[in-house]
């Protein structure tokens, strides 16, 4: 398992050809209290950089971008029922969706934790 990060403040936990996607601590901190999430449809095939969903907070609404190309295999219904999970446990229980990767090489352009920490601090 490896964890990758995007410049849009999404994380991916990659296990084989499946990646679990969510927003980072930095993103949820910037958003404030999350009150609603719009998740993609299971079975949808999206290209990298496409809008996969929306997260709304008391401060703002933000698009959630597809970090990689692939097919949505699962969405986090617990997050839909309790959007605050994106704040309280963004890297675990607050995950958004799982995607079956269609192009593993897209992961090569993403940041590791060290690079992301430096990026988000700037």
């Amino acid at each position: 398992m490896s964890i990758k990060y995007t410049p849009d403040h999404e994380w991916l936990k990659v296990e084989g050809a499946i990646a679990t996607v969510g927003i980072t601590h930095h993103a949820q901190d910037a958003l404030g209290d999350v009150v609603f999430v719009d998740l993609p449809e299971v079975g949808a095939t999206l290209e990298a950089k496409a809008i996969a969903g929306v997260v709304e907070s008391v401060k703002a609404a933000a698009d959630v971008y597809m970090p990689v190309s692939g097919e949505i295999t699962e969405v986090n219904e617990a997050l839909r029922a309790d959007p605050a999970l994106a704040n309280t446990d963004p890297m675990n229980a607050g995950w958004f969706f799982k995607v079956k990767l269609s192009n593993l090489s897209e992961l090569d352009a993403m940041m590791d934790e060290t690079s992301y920490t430096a990026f988000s601090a700037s």
Side-chain angles (χ1 to χ4, degrees):
M1 177 182 67
S2 66
I3 299 178
K4 298 285 191 171
Y5 298 87
T6 73
D8 296 315
H9 306 287
E10 289 116 8
W11 57 262
L12 296 83
K13 285 183 187 170
V14 181
E15 298 177 80
I18 302 291
T20 303
V21 179
I23 61 172
T24 64
H25 283 283
H26 179 85
Q28 69 81 26
D29 193 45
L31 282 167
D33 293 337
V34 174
V35 295
F36 174 78
V37 293
D38 180 30
L39 301 171
E41 293 292 320
V42 172
T45 300
L46 300 170
E47 294 297 316
K49 307 285 185 215
I51 295 172
V54 176
V55 59
E56 293 181 14
S57 73
V58 294
K59 290 185 190 177
D63 291 329
V64 176
Y65 295 97
M66 192 73 170
V68 290
S69 301
E71 179 186 349
I72 303 298
T73 61
E74 188 178 346
V75 296
N76 187 352
E77 294 297 343
L79 181 65
R80 198 186 311 259
D82 183 8
L85 289 171
N87 294 117
T88 58
D89 195 9
M91 298 291 291
N92 291 297
W95 62 275
F96 280 57
F97 56 87
K98 294 186 180 188
V99 58
K100 182 177 181 183
L101 305 170
S102 61
N103 184 354
L104 291 172
S105 67
E106 290 175 341
L107 298 171
D108 297 340
M110 294 184 184
M111 294 175 269
D112 62 13
E113 186 170 4
T114 303
S115 299
Y116 178 74
T117 300
F119 170 81
S120 60
S122 61

